[in-house]
Amino acid sequence: MRSAFDFTPFRRSAVGFDRLFDMLESSAASGAGENYPPFDLIRTSEHEYRIELAVAGFRRDEIEITSHQNVLIIRGRKGEESSADYIHRGIATRSFERRFALADHVNVTGAALADGMLALTLTREIPEAMKPRRIEIGGAASAPQHDRIEAKAEPATEERSPESV
C-alpha cells in the first residue's frame, strides 16, 4: 500500500536515507487505524524515555517484549477463554502487536507491569567514539619550527685569481 506522500524524488537525491524513507512509508501504511492498546510516550530526561501501554487484563506471561535492529515489538496474547457466561464484555482482551522504531543507540533498559500499565524505560547510550571531544590548542613553546623565520647571512665569496693559489 502506498502512502499519500511520494518519497521518490527524495530517494534520488538523498544518499543513505533509505531506512528513514522506508520507516515513513511503513508507518503511514500500517499506522492507519492502529490504536490498540493506547500508549503514552514520555521524555524523562535528555537521554531517557518511557513508554506506557494500557494492557488491562493481561498477565506478565501473556506479554512478550522484543527489541531487534532498532525496532521494539510488544505483543500480547491472551490465554484460553474462561467458561464464564458473559452478559456484556467491554474489556478488550484481543491479541495485539505494537511496534516502535528506535533511533540508533537507544536501548530498552527496563520493563514493569503494575495496575494494568506496562512501563518500558529506554535510554540513549552514545558510544565514546561518537561523542564530541574538545581539542586543545598548544602554546607558543610547541609552535612548529617552520613558522619561525631566521635570516642567516651568507658569507661573501671572494674571487681568487689563479696566481694566488
Side-chain angles (χ1 to χ4, degrees), residues 64-135:
E64 177 186 343
I65 303 167
T66 308
S67 178
H68 181 67
Q69 292 182 350
N70 295 355
V71 177
L72 173 64
I73 303 169
I74 304 166
R75 290 185 183 99
R77 305 215 189 286
K78 285 302 285 178
E80 287 293 317
E81 288 289 319
S82 66
S83 59
D85 187 18
Y86 288 98
I87 296 171
H88 171 73
R89 187 153 195 180
I91 300 173
T93 57
R94 66 180 184 259
S95 297
F96 68 88
E97 179 175 301
R98 270 284 191 184
R99 292 177 177 259
F100 296 92
L102 302 178
D104 292 335
H105 313 295
V106 173
N107 299 317
V108 179
T109 56
L113 179 64
D115 300 327
M117 295 296 289
L118 176 65
L120 297 141
T121 306
L122 297 99
T123 305
R124 181 183 315 148
E125 299 169 351
I126 302 171
E128 285 296 320
M130 296 185 73
K131 288 183 181 176
R133 59 188 172 109
R134 184 180 175 117
I135 310 297

Side-chain angles (χ1 to χ4, degrees), residues 53-68:
L53 275 87
V55 291
F58 285 87
R59 296 187 313 262
R60 285 177 179 16
D61 61 338
E62 295 173 334
I63 298 173
E64 177 186 343
I65 303 167
T66 308
S67 178
H68 181 67

